[in-house]
Amino acid sequence: MRRFRFALFLMLLSAPAVAQQESGNISLAKEYTRKGEHEKAAFLYARLPTDAQTASNVLPDYLETLQQLKRYKDAEKLVKRAQKAHPEEPYGVTLGAVYAAAGDPAAAIKQYERVLSQLTAQQVLPVAAEFQRRQLPEWAEKTYLRGRALAKTDTEYGPQLIQLYTQSGNSERLMAETLRLVQDDERQLPFVRNMLQNSLQDDKGFEALERELLSSVQKYPERTVYSELLLWLQVQRRDFTGALVQAKALDRRGRTEGSRVMELAAIAQQNKDYESAIGGYEYVLREYRSGPFYAMARQRLVQTREAQVRDTYPIETAKIRSLIGEYQQVLTELGRTPQTAPVLRSMAVLHAFQLDEKPEGIKLLQEVIDMPRASLDVVDQAKIDLADIYLLRAEPWEATLLYSQVEKSHKDSPLGYEAKLRNARLSYFAGDFKLAKSHLDILKEATTREIANDAMQLSLLITDNTAQDTAGVALRDYAAVEQLVFQNKLPEALRGLDALLQKYPGHALQDEAWLLKAQLQRRTGDYKGAVGTLEKITANPKYDVLSDDALFLLATIQEDNLQDKEAAKTLYNQLLVKYPGSIYVAEARKHFRKLRGDSL
């Protein structure tokens, strides 16, 4: 008994030393593996006990060493020992990989099939992950599908399959799996949208999904999820005509009293698809005369028509008068109330800026500002409009006073940022570039993208053109021209641009001046002149910063004003190829597809 106790005591004393030696051998073997000295590494790994050889921190390196030495039989035996020691690990896949590395693909396939035939529900995720790690997506797919069969449900492992198909670029199966996932569970809709947003990057993918969804909508009209997904997809593609059809269908099924159509029409209006927006508002007016959105639709309809008139050059005075008449009809029908105050604002802006009837504009805006119970937002928007009119009348102090009032009452809000941007522009017009830039630097962090972008552009214009010319002499002349544009004095602005281009040939402002001149030529109906001006930018590689702006405007003029569809199609395609990162890509793609004759 004493001898046994003494032997046990000696073993306990030597155990730490043995463990330390084993750890040292593992570290040294790993270092040899890393250096490619596989013979030395294999010698050390072979001296380790079996449980150490098959440990998760040793097995991969030992296996790599054996395979590098082409000792595939030893590698096979090692993996089989690991399988017995750790049946919960996906070493069946590892064994198949050993056969593949040994140049026996048939044995590898047979082993992978054995793994699938013996698969349990608990093993599905780790086995599929191991197949993916080894760049075997087709076997990962088979694993998930086998797991689905075990679960006896058509949607099990749907998210994993969607991710797998996304990574492998298998659009056809991705779409089928996506539709299967949402057919019985609408809660998956946000996840599916997110996956599709990240995976469908080209026209072919979008078109294929659209075809699948249209087919599903017709085949299963009672399943609103397909219409929801189709509506989302068409909005992504800016196909507001198709999206309006789905919004109407969802509105009727869901009995939402026009809310879905109002949302879609507002998006179409923001994206300048005025026909679709008008169609949406007219639907609400026609179908829901007593509904909660009637008054809003009535106002927005005229506002959309106004935006359409403003974007159709040259702007015709008769159409402006007609719009004011339509606004007056809205007021007659709905009354002069806080809810219709935006109508009064729109009329005021038309009178002041389009018809040069400033007193009438001021009168209408003052009515809004003094209106009892009018919302603070509407009142402050009217103050900004009134300040703009004071700027038209060359009364900058009155203008900045009103802008500053709105800044103060709407701190850290979009309306306050808008007022600050107007104040910055006012300083810019006055040639006080330092003050303007101090406002703009704050606005570059604004929460609204449009304001931040506008601030960034004006800030860059000031920085670029005062770097060498610290007095900003040429920039002052350019700012004076932009003030004329703001005052709607377009002939005077064009003359000012011509004088500036002649006075400062080759100046850094030259491309901005040409782009602005082309925009004004278009507004005054000189389309061919605008084309010639824009081609001065697009034909010169040194104007790369504004080339995509010029190219898109050139394509728009060819399509909308000169009716040269082929020239427009060529230009849109040129923009897509040459400037894939441009902000105009989505819109250019839509126009290109339309001109090409695609079914939108």
Side-chain angles (χ1 to χ4, degrees):
M1 188 67 178
R2 285 182 178 177
R3 286 183 180 178
F4 173 75
R5 289 177 179 170
F6 183 68
L8 181 62
F9 177 68
L10 288 176
M11 287 174 62
L12 290 173
L13 279 177
S14 62
V18 171
Q20 189 173 3
Q21 182 181 1
E22 184 179 301
S23 176
N25 286 341
I26 290 172
S27 298
L28 185 57
K30 282 177 173 286
E31 182 63 19
Y32 283 139
T33 299
R34 188 183 67 80
K35 291 181 176 179
E37 298 181 37
H38 298 295
E39 288 286 359
K40 294 178 182 178
F43 174 77
L44 290 173
Y45 285 131
R47 296 182 64 186
L48 296 173
T50 300
D51 61 337
Q53 290 176 347
T54 59
S56 60
N57 67 323
V58 174
L59 180 66
D61 295 302
Y62 190 8
L63 192 57
E64 181 188 349
T65 291
L66 292 174
Q67 288 179 317
Q68 288 292 335
L69 295 171
K70 302 191 184 305
R71 290 167 54 181
Y72 298 115
K73 282 295 180 183
D74 291 337
E76 179 184 350
K77 290 175 184 177
L78 175 64
V79 175
K80 285 182 176 178
R81 288 199 300 272
Q83 279 184 291
K84 288 181 182 178
H86 305 283
E88 75 283 358
E89 296 293 337
Y91 289 137
V93 178
T94 309
L95 184 58
V98 169
Y99 294 142
D104 192 349
I109 291 171
K110 189 175 180 180
Q111 174 58 26
Y112 295 149
E113 288 173 344
R114 185 180 295 116
V115 170
L116 294 186
S117 67
Q118 297 172 355
L119 196 69
T120 65
Q122 292 73 25
Q123 294 172 324
V124 173
L125 292 175
V127 167
E130 183 63 16
F131 275 128
Q132 284 184 263
R133 191 181 73 80
R134 294 185 175 278
Q135 306 295 313
L136 296 168
E138 69 280 9
W139 286 100
E141 178 191 14
K142 289 177 181 179
T143 305
Y144 288 129
L145 293 176
R146 174 62 183 156
R148 175 172 288 176
L150 292 171
K152 297 179 180 178
T153 168
D154 283 347
T155 56
E156 193 71 16
Y157 302 109
Q160 290 85 353
L161 281 165
I162 287 174
Q163 191 168 21
L164 180 67
Y165 295 144
T166 300
Q167 291 170 351
S168 61
N170 193 330
S171 298
E172 188 175 336
R173 292 188 182 179
L174 169 65
M175 286 181 287
E177 196 59 44
T178 298
L179 299 184
R180 183 181 289 111
L181 187 61
V182 297
Q183 67 184 8
D184 296 318
D185 188 0
E186 290 196 27
R187 292 173 301 176
Q188 296 286 354
L189 199 55
F191 168 78
V192 167
R193 285 173 180 161
N194 186 53
M195 292 300 298
L196 291 171
Q197 183 85 53
N198 294 331
S199 61
L200 296 176
Q201 301 293 340
D202 57 26
D203 276 348
K204 288 184 179 178
F206 278 112
E207 288 166 9
L209 178 60
E210 191 171 43
R211 284 194 299 271
E212 287 283 339
L213 287 171
L214 285 167
S215 175
S216 297
V217 165
Q218 293 168 357
K219 195 181 296 183
Y220 308 107
E222 73 284 356
R223 293 178 178 171
T224 58
V225 67
Y226 293 128
S227 293
E228 290 280 5
L229 202 48
L230 183 57
L231 172 60
W232 169 83
L233 177 66
Q234 288 167 329
V235 169
Q236 298 303 302
R237 302 185 71 194
R238 299 191 183 186
D239 175 14
F240 298 108
T241 303
L244 182 58
V245 173
Q246 299 309 316
K248 289 178 182 178
L250 288 167
D251 179 67
R252 294 190 189 100
R253 278 188 215 137
R255 298 180 181 178
T256 59
E257 298 184 288
S259 65
R260 300 300 300 273
V261 178
M262 288 292 289
E263 290 170 9
L264 189 279
I267 296 171
Q269 184 178 347
Q270 289 168 6
N271 284 272
K272 299 187 177 182
D273 186 341
Y274 300 124
E275 291 300 328
S276 295
I278 288 169
Y281 294 135
E282 287 179 338
Y283 166 85
V284 174
L285 294 175
R286 184 174 62 252
E287 299 292 328
Y288 302 103
R289 289 194 65 82
S290 303
F293 301 105
Y294 180 85
M296 186 186 297
R298 188 76 179 83
Q299 294 179 55
R300 287 188 180 177
L301 176 62
V302 188
Q303 288 167 348
T304 306
R305 285 180 176 149
E306 178 189 340
Q308 190 176 37
V309 168
R310 285 175 176 273
D311 281 358
T312 304
Y313 301 116
I315 297 173
E316 298 176 23
T317 302
K319 289 184 177 180
I320 299 298
R321 296 275 181 205
S322 177
L323 282 168
I324 290 174
E326 287 189 56
Y327 278 129
Q328 192 60 58
Q329 289 174 16
V330 173
L331 293 175
T332 302
E333 182 179 350
L334 303 177
R336 299 169 99 93
T337 69
Q339 288 70 39
T340 58
V343 172
L344 294 169
R345 280 189 56 237
S346 297
M347 290 174 66
V349 171
L350 289 175
H351 277 294
F353 281 84
Q354 299 299 330
L355 301 177
D356 199 25
E357 296 172 354
K358 299 181 190 69
E360 183 62 25
I362 292 172
K363 178 184 172 185
L364 290 169
L365 290 171
Q366 201 61 55
E367 183 180 345
V368 173
I369 293 168
D370 296 338
M371 186 177 285
R373 298 185 303 280
S375 78
L376 180 61
D377 279 2
V378 173
V379 168
D380 279 356
Q381 284 169 339
K383 285 183 178 180
I384 289 177
D385 295 331
L386 185 56
D388 287 346
I389 295 175
Y390 282 131
L391 195 51
L392 285 183
R393 294 186 358 169
E395 298 178 43
W397 291 111
E398 294 292 336
T400 195
L401 179 64
L402 287 168
Y403 291 143
S404 299
Q405 284 180 13
V406 178
E407 273 192 66
K408 188 175 180 180
S409 63
H410 277 82
K411 276 189 174 181
D412 301 321
S413 75
L415 199 57
Y417 293 143
E418 181 63 40
K420 185 177 282 292
L421 182 61
R422 303 289 177 107
N423 248 334
R425 186 185 59 189
L426 184 58
S427 300
Y428 167 70
F429 286 159
D432 191 343
F433 301 132
K434 187 175 180 180
L435 180 58
K437 201 165 183 314
S438 68
H439 286 299
L440 295 168
D441 288 341
I442 296 170
L443 288 169
K444 285 190 286 188
E445 305 300 323
T447 53
T448 61
R449 187 178 64 182
E450 286 186 6
I451 290 175
N453 285 346
D454 288 346
M456 180 71 76
Q457 288 179 7
L458 186 52
S459 178
L460 285 173
L461 180 70
I462 293 171
T463 301
D464 290 347
N465 291 283
T466 54
Q468 294 180 337
D469 178 11
T470 53
V473 177
L475 187 59
R476 288 175 190 275
D477 289 349
Y478 185 75
V481 170
E482 287 209 284
Q483 184 169 4
L484 290 171
V485 175
F486 175 78
Q487 294 170 331
N488 211 28
K489 298 176 179 178
L490 304 190
E492 294 91 330
L494 280 166
R495 287 196 293 272
L497 282 172
D498 286 337
L500 185 148
L501 287 165
Q502 189 173 1
K503 187 177 179 182
Y504 307 104
H507 193 277
L509 274 168
Q510 188 167 261
D511 51 343
E512 274 96 353
W514 275 338
L515 183 61
L516 179 57
K517 182 178 179 180
Q519 292 167 341
L520 298 183
Q521 286 171 315
R522 186 190 183 204
R523 286 175 63 175
T524 55
D526 182 9
Y527 306 125
K528 289 187 178 179
V531 167
T533 302
L534 289 169
E535 286 175 345
K536 292 178 181 178
I537 300 175
T538 59
N540 194 328
K542 79 172 186 177
Y543 299 128
D544 196 53
V545 174
L546 292 178
S547 288
D548 61 330
D549 302 79
L551 198 54
F552 185 77
L553 181 56
L554 189 55
T556 304
I557 293 171
Q558 293 288 4
E559 180 183 9
D560 295 342
N561 305 122
L562 296 176
Q563 305 296 313
D564 190 339
K565 308 300 181 186
E566 282 303 314
K569 185 172 73 171
T570 300
L571 290 166
Y572 285 129
N573 188 54
Q574 188 179 334
L575 190 149
L576 293 172
V577 172
K578 197 173 180 182
Y579 305 103
S582 170
I583 60 171
Y584 301 106
V585 162
E587 196 65 23
R589 183 179 291 115
K590 174 186 169 184
H591 284 270
F592 176 73
R593 291 178 63 242
K594 178 182 174 184
L595 293 169
R596 192 173 60 184
D598 295 5
S599 177
L600 298 181

